[in-house]
Amino acid sequence: MRALTQDSYGLDALAVREVPEPLPAKGQVLVRVSAAGVNPYDWHFAAGQPMIARPMMGGLGGPRPQVRGADLSGVVVAVGPGVTAFAPGDEVFGFGAAGTFAERAVANATRIAHRPVDLTHVEAAALPMAAVTALQFLRAAGLTAGQRVMITGAGGGIGHFAVQIAAAWGAHVTGVCSTRNVAMVRELGASDVIDYTREDVTAGEPRFDVVFTNAGRYPLRALGRVVVPGGLILTNDGSKAGLFGSMPDLLAAPLVSRFRPYRAMSVSASENAEDLAVLARMVDGGVLLPIVSATYPLDRAVEAIRQVAGAGHARGKLVVTLFS
């Protein structure tokens, strides 16, 4: 089969090659991949950034698995021993187990769900990592109806899902985005939208119960000025490269709570079928819609990864397409 692979770190090492088709192990299914979402996660593994994380990415020489991609939507073609929830022919979406920018991919049965009937494979492939991350961050915040939440990076992959989820939960949402995304973010459910190119979102009086910040545009100290006493800043920043990347900022977040009148925290998002099912129900209920700004064939997948690299500014989600 054809797959986007690499045997060393660096985007220049990525290439579409012929590789053996994987076989589903116990508890796994084999999926004919129709589409695969693109995430900053893919750039981190491809580039080996931050460098201190390379041992966890597979080793100092190159990432493992060698096939890139984490999200998928497609059709089950085979099931491994012990799988009873899925059968060949089922249309599924979720997380792959060993790379998804490929014509076939294996996935753990506990990390996929049936594709929402109202979504195409391209739209479903945009959901898993970004939407699950948004869901789990907002859930960890204990967000409730009536609270005021500001979401930075509101036009991006995680941000545009967070706007919709927070609005569906009854929060008063202020989205922060660039000029080109203002109308989109408002249509997704934000009560207020701030164009960061024209207004300093960290100026003014404290007014937000929760701030969910993406892409690291603002330091905690600045965001703290607009959080009410006892409020919460959710930090989600994977934009920095170098030896340590964003790790110092993420690790420092809990310490801030000891010395400031607000709390700060990050969340380690987990891949699970239960939250995929939650998202599917939100889609079926008409309160969640993936925005896909561009699709790329497998031969151009590297271009998509470059678009989400570091502090990239992709609108909504980018998706790699394989089979219709």
Side-chain angles (χ1 to χ4, degrees), residues 156-177:
I158 295 172
H160 89 284
F161 287 125
V163 168
Q164 296 176 78
I165 294 169
W169 290 354
H172 184 284
V173 181
T174 295
V176 179
C177 60

Side-chain angles (χ1 to χ4, degrees), residues 163-217:
V163 168
Q164 296 176 78
I165 294 169
W169 290 354
H172 184 284
V173 181
T174 295
V176 179
C177 60
S178 62
T179 306
R180 67 170 182 157
N181 291 329
V182 167
M184 180 189 79
V185 171
R186 185 172 285 115
E187 290 174 1
L188 292 177
S191 301
D192 300 306
V193 183
I194 298 175
D195 181 348
Y196 68 74
T197 69
R198 301 181 178 182
E199 182 179 345
D200 180 5
V201 302
T202 66
E205 297 296 321
R207 58 191 185 277
F208 297 106
D209 300 293
V210 177
V211 170
F212 183 12
T213 178
N214 295 280
R217 178 173 293 275

Side-chain angles (χ1 to χ4, degrees), residues 33-40 42 70-74 92-95 100-101 115-116 119-135 156-162 164-165 276 279-280 283 288-295 308 314-321:
V33 181
S34 296
V38 185
N39 299 285
D42 304 314
D71 294 350
L72 62 76
S73 182
V92 298
F93 78 111
F95 302 93
T100 61
F101 295 160
R115 177 173 65 92
L119 296 185
T120 65
H121 280 297
V122 168
E123 292 170 326
L127 278 169
M129 185 170 290
V132 165
T133 298
L135 175 68
I158 295 172
H160 89 284
F161 287 125
Q164 296 176 78
I165 294 169
L276 291 172
L279 296 172
V283 169
L288 188 66
L289 176 68
I291 301 297
V292 178
S293 61
T295 60
V308 300
R315 173 187 172 95
K317 289 285 294 181
L318 306 180
V319 173
V320 172
T321 55

Side-chain angles (χ1 to χ4, degrees), residues 65-79:
Q66 293 181 318
V67 178
R68 296 279 60 75
D71 294 350
L72 62 76
S73 182
V75 180
V76 175
V77 295
V79 300

Side-chain angles (χ1 to χ4, degrees), residues 49-71:
Q49 297 288 345
M51 289 183 285
I52 196 173
R54 288 186 179 185
M56 294 178 288
M57 295 177 177
L60 300 179
R64 297 290 183 276
Q66 293 181 318
V67 178
R68 296 279 60 75
D71 294 350

